Amino acid sequence: MSYVAAPGGDRPRTLRPGATIGVLGGGQLGRMMALAGSAMGYRFVALDPAPDAPCGQVTPQIHAAYNDRDAARELARRSDVITYEFENVDAGVAALLTAESYVPQGSALLYTTQHRLREKAAIEAAGVPVAPYRKVGSLAELNAAAADLGLPCVLKTATGGYDGKGQAVIRRPEELEAAFRQVAPGAGGAQEAPQAGGTDSSTDSAASAGNVMPELVLEKFVAFSCEISVIAARSASGEVKSFPPAENIHVNNILHLSIVPARVPEEIQRRACELAERLVSGLNAVGLLAVEMFVTDDGELFVNELAPRPHNSGHYTMDACVTSQFEQHVRAICNLPLGDTSLLTPVVMVNVLGQHLDGAVERISEMDEAANRLGISPKLHIYGKTESKTGRKMGHINLLCKDTGDGLSWVEQTNLWRN
């Protein structure tokens, strides 16, 4: 295989089992990565400020803030290669690590995916379609953009936000100002009611008077039939493979179910994999790239978001594929040959949130009549988070089944996910 330069400027290095992988971030993705990589013989060390982080329960941990440069240097000193488990990494620390240690993922892709406008421009540059959008810097610009794109639209912050946070759906013109205040609450006194007789310019002038206006993006609402995602991997030497597309169902803007095989025609699944592989190659990514897409009624695909890391919608691979997304990520950053991504069995992944945790643990501890009747094999994964909260991801269950309809029936019959 021909070798190409790694994003950080280094020639790709092959790191064999026994090497130490440093993980910036100590959440559940780092935990599952460490568990998969440890089985292959790698050592791990994580950097995370939490005293009992999920990853730190299974591997050594440096307890420090993500922007602590001394701690970042300590992570570099103890590691042969460094990766990250979430994309909102401090840009300065990412650049420092790239300069002072081996980070095959580099910091350029982080810089791109941390900002929705940069991300969309990069997706378009790779020749992959996104929903129509406009940059928004004021309420007046929001009104103009909405008139241009047409309603409904979705207003989002350009940076940050996850699981539906930092965004608002706008269906009618009278909702524009409220959406602006919700998504940019501190901009221009946006939480204060406008003065009698005031206009849009009064809000804009207030923004220029002192408060910092966050960058926003307005996206045309795509009338989609379903949402799918593809996890693609690229090794440091350029080998690319993708996993089968997952059909994703969200509840309250949080992923609820991933269904594999996705219930879309094989031609759409093939094109979705092609787009994901085009992006992971075009962006010169190393490791995993999760590509979320909308599927329209006429079979068009629009990329919604990217995540340069393991992804919730790829958790099904842990039990249902020859190679899990976590093993694949380790293989990619260590420049090993990528693993087989074939699907072994149909599967439904269901997230376990805080309000579901006790019931899920109790159910998995007893004889499951519904699972036996439906021919389901539930595989429970708990993340080790210290505090269980409503709406917080505490684990997931992979339901291995002969048909995904049986897995969906099990979810419905348990009654755990009705709240």
Side-chain angles (χ1 to χ4, degrees):
M1 179 177 293
S2 61
Y3 283 86
V4 296
D10 289 322
R11 184 179 181 85
R13 308 175 191 176
T14 299
L15 297 162
R16 294 180 174 85
T20 298
I21 299 173
V23 185
L24 197 55
Q28 68 261 28
L29 300 180
R31 176 192 180 99
M32 290 183 276
M33 188 192 307
L35 290 171
S38 296
M40 300 168 68
Y42 289 95
R43 296 175 180 269
F44 285 80
V45 58
L47 189 157
D48 193 280
D52 190 29
C55 189
Q57 296 169 16
V58 299
T59 193
Q61 179 183 339
I62 299 169
H63 296 92
Y66 293 127
N67 61 357
D68 186 327
R69 298 194 175 208
D70 289 337
R73 289 189 171 96
E74 173 68 9
L75 180 69
R77 186 188 67 78
R78 297 171 61 177
S79 306
D80 297 300
V81 60
I82 290 177
T83 186
Y84 44 81
E85 62 123 32
F86 70 110
E87 59 265 47
N88 291 320
V89 176
D90 180 84
V93 167
L96 179 152
L97 290 172
T98 301
E100 298 188 8
S101 60
Y102 181 51
V103 188
Q105 292 162 281
S107 59
L109 186 55
L110 274 178
Y111 176 79
T112 297
T113 56
Q114 283 176 346
H115 194 284
R116 286 188 172 91
L117 290 166
R118 291 196 294 262
E119 179 178 275
K120 290 178 183 298
I123 294 170
E124 291 178 309
V128 175
V130 298
Y133 67 96
R134 297 290 183 273
K135 178 181 177 181
V136 171
S138 67
L139 181 55
E141 289 184 6
L142 173 59
N143 287 327
D148 187 20
L149 293 176
L151 298 180
C153 283
V154 183
L155 182 65
K156 300 179 179 179
T157 55
T159 59
Y162 63 95
D163 290 346
K165 299 176 176 65
Q167 61 182 264
V169 178
I170 305 167
R171 295 180 173 83
R172 299 185 300 275
E174 55 269 27
E175 297 173 352
L176 286 164
E177 188 170 349
F180 181 80
R181 293 179 180 180
Q182 174 188 331
V183 177
Q191 290 188 340
E192 298 175 6
Q195 299 297 318
T199 63
D200 293 346
S201 61
S202 65
T203 303
D204 296 337
S205 63
S208 63
N211 292 320
V212 177
M213 173 65 203
E215 287 188 278
L216 307 176
V217 56
L218 186 70
E219 300 175 4
K220 174 70 176 176
F221 188 87
V222 175
F224 57 89
S225 58
C226 69
E227 298 178 66
I228 63 173
S229 59
V230 175
I231 311 296
R234 181 177 178 273
S235 71
S237 56
E239 184 185 8
V240 172
K241 287 187 178 181
S242 58
F243 288 93
E247 177 187 350
N248 300 318
I249 297 175
H250 294 77
V251 175
N252 297 325
N253 294 308
I254 300 174
L255 182 63
H256 173 44
L257 298 168
S258 290
I259 303 165
V260 188
R263 297 172 298 182
V264 298
E266 290 187 6
E267 167 61 18
I268 291 178
Q269 295 187 46
R270 183 189 62 78
R271 283 195 287 119
C273 289
E274 288 178 353
L275 292 180
E277 292 175 10
R278 185 188 305 174
L279 281 170
V280 78
S281 296
L283 294 172
N284 202 30
V286 173
L288 298 185
L289 183 70
V291 184
E292 299 180 70
M293 310 179 203
F294 296 127
V295 183
T296 66
D297 288 335
D298 55 4
E300 288 188 276
L301 291 169
F302 292 95
V303 171
N304 179 32
E305 288 186 341
L306 306 178
R309 53 167 172 77
H311 194 260
N312 194 175
S313 67
H315 290 351
Y316 78 88
T317 63
M318 297 173 72
D319 300 297
C321 289
V322 175
T323 306
S324 76
Q325 66 166 341
F326 299 101
E327 178 185 337
Q328 195 78 305
H329 183 75
V330 170
R331 287 178 169 274
I333 63 171
C334 292
N335 204 34
L336 302 184
L338 296 182
D340 186 349
T341 58
S342 298
L343 189 69
L344 296 171
T345 175
V347 58
V348 174
M349 189 283 298
V350 56
N351 267 329
V352 176
L353 306 182
Q355 63 268 37
H356 313 134
L357 181 59
D358 289 344
V361 170
E362 180 179 350
R363 188 171 189 94
I364 214 76
S365 304
E366 301 174 349
M367 187 66 68
D368 192 329
E369 185 276 332
N372 291 336
R373 174 167 39 81
L374 293 166
I376 303 298
S377 295
K379 302 291 186 178
L380 176 65
H381 299 267
I382 298 296
Y383 302 152
K385 295 181 179 179
T386 55
E387 186 178 2
S388 179
K389 298 179 181 178
T390 298
R392 190 183 194 194
K393 295 172 184 173
M394 303 301 295
H396 69 273
I397 301 175
N398 285 331
L399 302 166
L400 309 184
C401 45
K402 295 179 181 178
D403 184 271
T404 55
D406 295 329
L408 294 171
S409 294
W410 185 90
V411 173
E412 181 69 21
Q413 291 177 28
T414 61
N415 293 321
L416 288 178
W417 288 272
R418 294 185 181 273
N419 52 21

